[in-house]
């Protein structure tokens, strides 16, 4: 007779409420919120109406997502929702778009990181085996190597501590901006525009980026 092997139970439970809130807040802060002043300079003060509209839209779709997840205990991810709505084809199509977004968004973040660091340190470059590597490429590779160990975490609940770094960095940047404006004498003299039609597309894309955390909500 074949020997019976007792399998250890799989932990299918979720994280705690506080950790979920913490990760959710971190997902909704960062680059998106910091770019709001630039967005206002492009679309004007009335562009804030787009921010409110985006907030209401994403809040409503988040509630719809909650209803989908609670409609059936077996629904845990977006592909599961696609399967229950449209069958196997729905699961495949939703999976393709979900994984594309989860791949392309970090790629865009790495490119932004490389551009920003290169602005701060424009003279960085190196040559390896006769191949010239520019500063942007160096910072993109370096940022990727720094982030890579977080991909090896076996317990995803530990990501809540990684999220603390994101919130801390956002607080530091905002504090630095307020310090430069209020203490260092730069001031806040710019009044801005009331409305600029040409800046609406830019404003919509940046405001959408502020509320781009839907892919991680089911998790």
């Amino acid at each position: 007779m074949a020997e019976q092997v007792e399998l250890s139970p799989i932990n299918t439970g979720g994280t705690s409420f506080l950790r979920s809130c913490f990760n959710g807040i971190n997902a909704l802060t960062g680059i998106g919120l910091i770019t709001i002043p630039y967005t206002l300079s492009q679309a004007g003060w009335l562009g804030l109406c787009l921010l409110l509209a985006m907030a209401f839209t994403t809040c409503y779709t988040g509630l719809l997502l909650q209803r989908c997840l609670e409609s059936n205990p077996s629904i845990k991810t977006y592909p599961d929702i696609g399967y229950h709505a449209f069958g196997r084809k729905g699961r495949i199509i939703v999976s393709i778009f979900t994984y594309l977004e989860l791949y392309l968004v970090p790629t865009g973040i790495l490119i932004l990181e490389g551009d920003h660091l290169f602005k701060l340190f424009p003279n960085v470059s190196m040559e390896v085996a006769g191949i010239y590597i520019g500063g942007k490429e160096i910072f993109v590779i370096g940022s990727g190597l720094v982030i890579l160990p977080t991909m090896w975490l076996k317990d995803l609940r530990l990501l809540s501590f990684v999220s603390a770094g994101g919130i801390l960095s956002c607080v530091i940047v905002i504090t630095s901006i307020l310090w430069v404006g209020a203490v260092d004498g730069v001031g806040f003299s710019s009044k801005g525009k009331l409305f600029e039609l040409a800046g609406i597309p830019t404003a919509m894309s940046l405001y959408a980026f502020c509320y781009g955390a839907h892919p991680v909500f089911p998790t």
Side-chain angles (χ1 to χ4, degrees):
M1 294 179 62
E3 183 180 358
Q4 293 183 351
V5 179
E6 183 178 354
L7 299 177
S8 58
I10 298 176
N11 182 14
T12 58
T15 184
S16 66
F17 175 78
L18 290 179
R19 285 179 176 174
S20 297
C21 292
F22 191 79
N23 290 326
I25 292 173
N26 181 65
L28 292 171
T29 59
I31 296 176
L33 294 181
I34 295 175
T35 57
I36 287 180
Y38 173 75
T39 308
L40 290 176
S41 69
Q42 296 296 307
W45 288 102
L46 289 180
L48 286 174
C49 296
L50 290 175
L51 178 62
L52 294 176
M54 193 67 67
F56 283 116
T57 302
T58 51
C59 179
Y60 178 67
T61 53
L63 294 175
L64 292 180
L65 175 61
Q66 178 188 5
R67 289 173 58 184
C68 291
L69 294 173
E70 293 178 346
S71 64
N72 193 311
S74 63
I75 298 179
K76 301 295 183 182
T77 63
Y78 281 108
D80 293 338
I81 296 176
Y83 177 78
H84 280 77
F86 304 105
R88 185 171 179 270
K89 292 183 179 179
R91 178 187 292 275
I92 294 174
I93 294 175
V94 173
S95 297
I96 291 174
F97 281 98
T98 300
Y99 290 123
L100 275 177
E101 181 174 6
L102 292 177
Y103 173 77
L104 294 176
V105 169
T107 302
I109 294 295
L110 287 177
I111 294 174
L112 286 175
E113 190 70 23
D115 290 342
H116 293 165
L117 290 175
F118 184 69
K119 290 288 186 181
L120 295 175
F121 308 100
N123 298 322
V124 175
S125 63
M126 63 184 300
E127 187 173 342
V128 179
I131 300 176
Y132 174 80
I133 303 177
K136 291 184 179 181
E137 290 77 12
I138 293 175
F139 288 126
V140 169
I141 295 173
S143 301
L145 292 176
V146 171
I147 298 173
L148 184 60
T150 62
M151 303 293 102
W152 299 334
L153 296 175
K154 294 183 178 181
D155 188 355
L156 295 182
R157 290 176 297 182
L158 295 176
L159 287 177
S160 60
F161 298 101
V162 179
S163 299
I167 294 179
L168 179 61
S169 62
C170 186
V171 171
I172 292 175
V173 170
I174 294 176
T175 303
S176 300
I177 294 173
L178 293 175
W179 183 275
V180 170
V183 179
D184 288 351
V186 176
F188 303 97
S189 58
S190 298
K191 296 181 179 180
K193 307 172 184 177
L194 180 62
F195 181 73
E196 184 65 40
L197 182 61
I200 293 300
T202 301
M204 291 185 64
S205 60
L206 292 177
Y207 286 150
F209 194 69
C210 292
Y211 296 97
H214 274 51
V216 301
F217 277 171
T219 306

